[in-house]
């Protein structure tokens, strides 16, 4: 049953991301990824807020998973990256937090570029 709630909430998060992205293009323009920035910042705020409320209010594991892994996971995975990095800092592991940031940002850009190059070789 927990998986079903995560899937439903994830769909709502993805739909919300799409609507915000569309709104941003229509209102602000398509010359810069405003929608993605808005979604990522909202997601980071929301996961920080949700995790604190979940801890302070003793949310059930099912509700916490539906909100964080489901809705916010569908909305933006950047929020998960943000929360995990903040947790590493909070738990006294700033080196691990820095490595997480470096691998995610630099590594993500590098493998994205490799994927682009491979696709260009395959399909032109």
């Amino acid at each position: 049953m927990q998986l079903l709630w995560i899937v439903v909430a994830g769909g709502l998060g993805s739909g919300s991301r799409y609507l915000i992205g569309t709104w941003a293009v229509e209102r602000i323009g398509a010359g810069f990824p405003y929608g993605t920035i808005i979604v990522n910042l909202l997601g980071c705020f929301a996961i920080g807020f949700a995790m604190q409320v979940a801890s302070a209010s003793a949310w059930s594991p099912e509700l916490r998973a539906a909100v964080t892994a489901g809705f916010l996971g569908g909305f933006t995975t950047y929020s998960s990256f943000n929360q995990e990095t903040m947790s590493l800092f909070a738990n006294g592991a700033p080196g691990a937090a820095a490595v997480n940031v470096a691998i995610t940002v630099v590594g993500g850009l590098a493998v994205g570029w490799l994927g682009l190059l491979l696709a260009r070789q395959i399909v032109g």
Side-chain angles (χ1 to χ4, degrees):
M1 190 55 142
Q2 183 172 352
L3 178 60
L4 176 62
W5 284 114
I6 291 170
V7 169
V8 169
L12 292 171
S14 295
S16 298
R17 179 181 65 231
Y18 172 78
L19 291 173
I20 290 171
T22 300
W23 174 87
V25 168
E26 291 171 354
R27 300 285 194 277
I28 306 170
F32 190 77
Y34 296 109
T36 300
I37 289 172
I38 291 167
V39 164
N40 285 339
L41 293 177
L42 283 173
C44 288
F45 173 83
I47 202 164
F49 185 88
M51 292 300 284
Q52 180 58 37
V53 171
S55 295
S57 303
W59 283 6
S60 70
E62 294 81 12
L63 178 59
R64 184 183 296 207
V67 171
T68 58
F71 183 82
L72 292 172
F75 190 63
T76 172
T77 58
Y78 188 82
S79 61
S80 297
F81 161 71
N82 181 63
Q83 179 61 36
E84 291 162 352
T85 303
M86 289 190 319
S87 291
L88 288 168
F89 273 115
N91 292 324
V99 168
N100 187 42
V101 170
I103 290 172
T104 301
V105 175
V106 177
L109 290 170
V111 297
W113 180 252
L114 289 173
L116 173 70
L117 293 176
L118 179 61
R120 283 182 178 168
Q121 293 297 315
I122 295 171
V123 297

